[in-house]
Amino acid sequence: MHIPRRVSRTATAPRTGRARTAAAALASAVAVVAVTGCAGFEYREDICSADEYPDLSVGGTGSICVSSKKAPPAGFVKYPQGKVPQQVDDKWDLYWDTHTLDEDGKVVDVPATN
């Protein structure tokens, strides 16, 4: 006569508690990334390279990047201290779209163009 061996239910059943928790956490993370589109990882472009600094054109809104070892070329000056744009569309980059420096180094509004 054959007597079947008794097998514990927990030995053959999958560990659904841990598996479900891990699957739920993974699904939540995927949903957050899909919904936000990685909005927390916004890319900001620098105005100049690491070994350069920006110079503002006198009387205009144009700017150039100059090597840190060189002086501004004719017609350009360094931005006033504390008002140097660092990244595209940052506070100072937008400010200097409507302001400039005159020949005396005074901040003035840019004349409106038609």
Side-chain angles (χ1 to χ4, degrees):
M1 173 183 223
H2 181 301
I3 300 176
R5 230 172 74 186
R6 182 177 173 132
V7 179
S8 168
R9 291 171 74 65
T10 58
T12 59
R15 295 183 180 191
T16 57
R18 284 186 184 168
R20 284 185 181 169
T21 302
L26 181 61
S28 297
V30 168
V32 167
V33 170
V35 170
T36 63
C38 298
F41 303 102
E42 181 180 354
Y43 173 75
R44 299 291 307 254
E45 185 176 353
D46 290 338
I47 296 287
C48 294
S49 299
D51 60 341
E52 297 177 324
Y53 67 90
D55 285 332
L56 178 66
S57 66
V58 175
T61 60
S63 66
I64 59 170
C65 293
V66 177
S67 171
S68 300
K69 299 173 186 174
K70 294 184 178 183
F76 289 85
V77 293
K78 289 187 175 189
Y79 285 92
Q81 187 173 7
K83 296 182 179 183
V84 180
Q86 300 296 317
Q87 297 173 325
V88 174
D89 292 337
D90 71 5
K91 172 184 174 180
W92 294 115
D93 187 35
L94 297 175
Y95 176 82
W96 291 111
D97 281 344
T98 57
H99 297 81
T100 191
L101 296 174
D102 64 12
E103 296 80 21
D104 300 322
K106 217 170 94 176
V107 176
V108 295
D109 290 338
V110 173
T113 58
N114 293 341

